[in-house]
Amino acid sequence: MVGLGYIGLPTAAVIARSGASVLGVDIDRDVVETVNSGKVHIEEIDLDGLVSGVVARGLLRASTTIEPADVFVIAVPTPFGPEHEPDITYVLEAAAGIAAVLKAGDTVILESTSPIGTTERVAALLMERRPDLAIPGHCAGTADVAIAYCPERVLPGRILVELIDNDRVIGGITPRCARKALHFYRRFVRGACVTTTARAAEMTKLTENAFRDVNIAFANELSVVADTMGIDVWEVIRLANRHPRVNILSPGPGVGGHCIAVDPWFLVHGDPENTRLIRTAREVNDAKIAHTIARAEALAEAMPEAPIACLGLAFKANIDDFRESPALKVALHLARRFGPRVRVVEPYATSLPAAFADTGAELVDLDTALESCPAFVVLVDHDIFRSVPLEERADKRVHDARGIWPDQPHIAPSDLPLQAAVGGVHGR
Ligand code: SAJ
């Protein structure tokens, strides 16, 4: 397993549990040492127990160097550059490392979310580095190795369940490659394993996350319209969803995480002229962050001197992952502007992220915030925030970007100088 991150480590551990001997490879020495001591460097439900068990049984070990194996799985990051262009450097570096130890009979599988054509690039790289081997797509007759694309599709917070239960889409450079990869996934996947081409599998992964992004953008656009009209968007969505063929997702402070806010750009970059909807959805979701900041600022300005509670920093509910989090961006903006007035509540953090240093903002628990803050900005729908009963917050003034408190007394739009505030905020 090349890459021991949010996908690679759980996948390596699950494969090891199936009885295979697994080597996890990572460029980060700390990660390698942590795993070899039976510990984990990421939070995911049940992962620590699973990893300590398979390491103790000698089924999983980690190294900074790729060693010969029968199956290679690449699960490394694929970030994007300043123009949203996909960066597959880590994938190609992993493939180069594999090329050095590849032998006839091996299978190479790419799992990283990738722009269309990346698996073919991996095949081309292997052909260049290993002219002694017959590489699929580059040889007549039976190839010596199999190369396939099989995207991960697991939801953070449910990774160990979804790794087993979700269906898998397996795209081979040739049908024979897909069959060899399928044989591998059958070891530990209970869901259906469906085979196709590498390119179709690559596009399928991007399509899934673009679908979600577009649908969240629809909800976010509605929320802004409802806001300017003084209508409760949550009520409108609840009512509209009573229609048998309408199922609107939830608005929020923007879209975070390292998948849904990134992957649609891979589609846009591949065919900019024909992806107007997908691009616009990205822009709508990014703009929702600035809108949330404007609404929160308006609330803070309407209550000069009052302490403001910001509920949540994570990119979504009930996880400790703050990467690309709109909640964090909003809270940080407020901390920079209002300093010590800002009290952040984040049960999944033991201290505020470094970016908050020198802002004067502090991390407090929920009870302290309820006791000391008359203004609340709800940024994450953690269960613990949802559970606050009305009597504990009836006298608060709230901007609820997640709709977790539908019974909260309404603040008249005239009380909040929204238009002025929105006009005053640029970018994130
Ligand atoms: N969000 C909303 N409103 C909603 C749903 C989500 O604002 O109604 C926001 C969340 O708060 C969060 C962001 O969207 O900021 C993304 O959260 P998510 O739960 O939709 O997805 P991720 O990023 O945790 O995981 C997604 C999943 N993809 C799909 O559901 C199509 C997961 O299955 C993928 O494996 C993962 O991306 C990935 O790794 O690509």
Side-chain angles (χ1 to χ4, degrees), residues 11-234:
T11 308
V14 165
I15 299 168
R17 186 175 58 189
S18 78
S21 167
V22 181
L23 174 73
V25 180
D26 204 286
I27 51 171
D28 187 330
R29 280 180 192 284
D30 291 341
V31 168
V32 167
E33 276 171 28
T34 304
V35 172
N36 279 333
S37 66
K39 300 205 168 63
V40 295
H41 62 290
I42 51 174
E43 274 292 321
E44 179 62 35
I45 294 166
D46 294 337
L47 184 63
D48 46 357
L50 176 61
V51 168
S52 69
V54 288
V55 170
R57 286 159 63 204
L59 292 169
L60 173 64
R61 69 189 170 86
S63 168
T64 52
T65 322
I66 299 178
E67 296 177 13
D70 301 320
V71 180
F72 299 88
V73 180
I74 303 173
V76 295
T78 45
F80 61 51
E83 302 294 320
H84 298 121
E85 71 283 9
D87 176 357
I88 59 166
T89 312
Y90 297 124
V91 172
L92 297 178
E93 281 172 5
I98 291 167
V101 296
L102 197 64
K103 61 184 186 312
D106 289 353
T107 301
V108 180
I109 301 166
L110 176 60
E111 285 207 4
S112 311
T113 303
S114 299
I116 296 160
T118 304
T119 314
E120 292 169 349
R121 297 267 308 267
V122 168
L125 185 146
L126 294 178
M127 186 205 57
E128 273 165 39
R129 303 273 172 128
R130 294 299 301 270
D132 56 313
L133 292 172
I135 300 294
H138 297 270
C139 65
T142 309
D144 286 332
V145 297
I147 304 172
Y149 182 72
C150 180
E152 61 81 13
R153 315 167 104 179
V154 292
L155 197 70
R158 285 178 47 81
I159 291 180
L160 291 180
V161 175
E162 295 203 355
L163 263 177
I164 313 285
D165 288 345
N166 286 4
D167 293 353
R168 298 300 292 244
V169 176
I170 302 170
I173 292 283
T174 64
R176 186 170 169 276
C177 293
R179 285 195 298 276
K180 277 207 81 177
L182 182 143
H183 187 63
F184 168 69
Y185 283 100
R186 271 276 149 255
R187 284 187 75 98
F188 61 96
V189 172
R190 237 187 336 243
C193 292
V194 185
T195 57
T196 180
T197 63
R199 290 173 80 84
E202 287 163 346
M203 183 160 171
T204 301
K205 170 67 191 183
L206 302 179
T207 300
E208 291 162 6
N209 282 353
F211 171 86
R212 197 149 168 87
D213 200 42
V214 168
N215 282 278
I216 297 169
F218 182 70
N220 276 336
E221 186 160 287
L222 289 180
S223 73
V224 176
V225 173
D227 212 2
T228 50
M229 304 266 178
I231 297 170
D232 179 351
V233 72
W234 308 99

Side-chain angles (χ1 to χ4, degrees), residues 21 38 41 117 124 158 218 221 231 265 268-269 272 276 281 288-289 292 324 343 380 408:
S21 167
H41 62 290
R158 285 178 47 81
F218 182 70
E221 186 160 287
I231 297 170
W265 287 118
V268 173
H269 193 263
R276 282 177 299 157
K288 189 66 199 295
I289 300 173
T292 307
E324 298 304 317
R343 313 222 164 130
V380 184
Q408 190 68 27

